[in-house]
Amino acid sequence: MTLKIGVIGTGMIGRDHTRRIQQVLAGAEVVALSDVNLASAESVRADLAPNAKLYETGEALIAAPEVDAVLVTSWGATHEPYVLAAVAAGKPVFCEKPLATTAEGARRIVEAEVAHGKRLVQVGFMRRYDAGYLALKQAVQQHTGAPILVHAAHRNPAVPEAYVTPMAIHDTLIHEIDVFRWLLDDDYVSARVLYPRNAARSHGKLRDPQVVVLETKKGVLIDVEIFVNCQYGYDIQCEVVGEAGTARLPEPMAVALRLDAKRQSSILTDWKDRFVASYDVELQDFIAAASKGGATGPSAWDGYAAAVTSDACVQAQESAGQAVAIELPARPALYE
Ligand code: NAP
């Protein structure tokens, strides 16, 4: 069976996921496209999915009888209504992060899915599918003993002028927030944010770098440096310190050069290159589960937990180093 997918939002990631489904992955095809900017949907249709039908609204695409499953890759603020409409239609839906722009919005999706009685939603937290993080998780489970500390860094070479302090949480830390809950099989209880002096190339609306300290229920302390104008490259670091040893996220493959009296190897500069393979694996996983009418992988509950944690981290950014509590209600049985 070929899963027939409708894509809402044909910007950068919507186009890229359409390419994946049409040219890389197995078991699915894009049969419908929609975007507020219909010319953008038309261009993706012409380039990648000539048989797809164009819809003027995401709602019409979700309701279309030929659409078995939905990809929501539009602007973040539109995710919640589209995911709710897909759940109401009983159609599996892959939603790029964020699941919703508020914790209450993510909670509404959880409630709708619980009322439906079966998982339909997968959230695009692709790091869980990265070969490096999977190997790290296995090493933590098999070798390091129970985790005590995590030291991490998320560095970008540069960000646009419009990137301001809270975006370090919503757009950048959001991936660490999800992947560490998964890596440690744990939940957060508090967040703190500490700032060194601002880097000289930052500006008045961006504190950069910053350090977020998350504490978990099991007592693990996680420090994450976010440095989005680090200049030298896109660099994701993570070291888990356990009872018996430490485990470090593998570096992306790079040829080791000996040249000009130096040992050297390249560092990536574009985040798309760092996680390109994990996007393929996450969407193939979605296709497999959606073909059976359900969903797997990062859930609406994970999207909700990430939204609650993000809100606490943004509050902590304005709390002069004080800890902000992170509280989640009891997890519904659907997500056990
Ligand atoms: P983008 O290039 O701006 O694309 C978003 C597209 O959605 C644009 O074509 C936009 O049209 C369209 N759109 C806006 N409102 C809409 C609506 N009501 N209905 C249908 N389409 C609408 O952004 P992007 O970089 O692809 O990001 C899209 C989403 O994916 C964001 O939530 C982002 O956070 C997420 N994302 C996740 C990752 C990841 O690592 N997992 C990576 C990249 C992006 P206009 O341009 O005309 O407004």
Side-chain angles (χ1 to χ4, degrees):
M1 170 205 157
T2 300
L3 183 77
K4 299 195 189 84
I5 295 182
V7 179
I8 303 174
T10 51
M12 190 276 295
I13 200 99
R15 171 178 277 271
D16 204 32
H17 284 338
T18 301
R19 175 194 60 78
R20 277 193 176 86
I21 293 164
Q22 297 295 92
Q23 299 178 355
V24 182
L25 307 179
E29 69 174 306
V30 172
V31 298
L33 293 159
S34 177
D35 195 287
V36 274
N37 175 3
L38 260 192
S40 149
E42 170 52 35
S43 140
V44 170
R45 191 187 66 76
D47 294 347
L48 295 164
N51 298 326
K53 206 168 152 188
L54 296 190
Y55 284 90
E56 288 202 6
T57 68
E59 287 81 2
L61 177 146
I62 292 165
E66 77 274 14
V67 170
D68 301 324
V70 180
L71 240 64
V72 177
T73 47
S74 47
W75 184 51
T78 65
H79 292 182
E80 181 193 344
Y82 291 143
V83 174
L84 285 172
V87 172
K91 295 188 180 182
V93 51
F94 175 94
C95 179
E96 263 307 341
K97 59 89 187 161
L99 178 60
T101 45
T102 63
E104 301 80 61
R107 186 66 209 243
R108 282 190 283 274
I109 292 170
V110 164
E111 283 164 3
E113 198 179 36
V114 168
H116 178 76
K118 183 175 136 186
R119 272 200 61 188
L120 289 173
V121 181
Q122 178 178 339
V123 182
F125 287 131
M126 75 296 175
R127 282 200 194 179
R128 296 181 183 209
Y129 294 93
D130 174 67
Y133 275 107
L134 285 162
L136 178 63
K137 182 163 173 144
Q138 197 177 38
V140 169
Q141 286 171 336
Q142 296 179 353
H143 303 301
T144 64
I148 306 168
L149 290 164
V150 177
H151 306 298
H154 188 146
R155 303 190 187 120
N156 294 60
V159 289
E161 190 75 13
Y163 185 110
V164 291
T165 299
M167 293 169 78
I169 307 298
H170 292 305
D171 290 355
T172 301
L173 186 75
I174 189 76
H175 288 292
E176 272 79 14
I177 287 175
D178 178 70
V179 85
F180 294 152
R181 276 183 72 244
W182 166 84
L183 180 69
L184 303 171
D185 191 20
D186 207 344
D187 268 312
Y188 305 119
V189 293
S190 74
R192 263 172 286 173
V193 176
L194 304 168
Y195 301 109
R197 69 170 178 78
N198 229 16
R201 61 199 161 274
S202 191
H203 54 80
K205 292 186 174 166
L206 174 61
R207 293 301 303 257
D208 188 49
Q210 50 187 286
V211 176
V212 179
V213 180
L214 291 161
E215 193 184 347
T216 76
K217 267 190 184 156
K218 293 178 188 167
V220 179
L221 215 56
I222 303 166
D223 59 89
V224 190
E225 169 204 316
I226 306 166
F227 192 6
V228 295
N229 280 303
C230 81
Q231 302 205 72
Y232 73 84
Y234 181 72
D235 195 7
I236 300 299
Q237 296 289 329
C238 177
E239 182 187 34
V240 180
V241 179
E243 295 281 352
T246 74
R248 184 177 272 281
L249 184 69
E251 295 284 345
M253 191 172 71
V255 171
L257 285 173
R258 285 163 189 257
L259 211 62
D260 298 332
K262 291 190 188 94
R263 286 193 294 264
Q264 40 183 275
S265 58
S266 302
I267 295 175
L268 295 174
T269 53
D270 188 336
W271 56 269
K272 286 189 229 79
D273 297 329
R274 174 67 181 80
F275 290 109
V276 66
S278 56
Y279 290 112
D280 290 349
V281 186
E282 72 167 354
L283 270 191
Q284 192 67 71
D285 207 33
F286 174 71
I287 291 167
S291 297
K292 294 183 197 140
T296 182
S299 67
W301 180 257
D302 296 320
Y304 170 64
V308 169
T309 307
S310 294
D311 286 353
C313 290
V314 171
Q315 206 186 322
Q317 284 182 321
E318 294 155 9
S319 303
Q322 295 302 304
V324 173
I326 301 173
E327 286 168 49
L328 286 176
R331 182 164 52 179
L334 185 65
Y335 305 107
E336 293 301 335

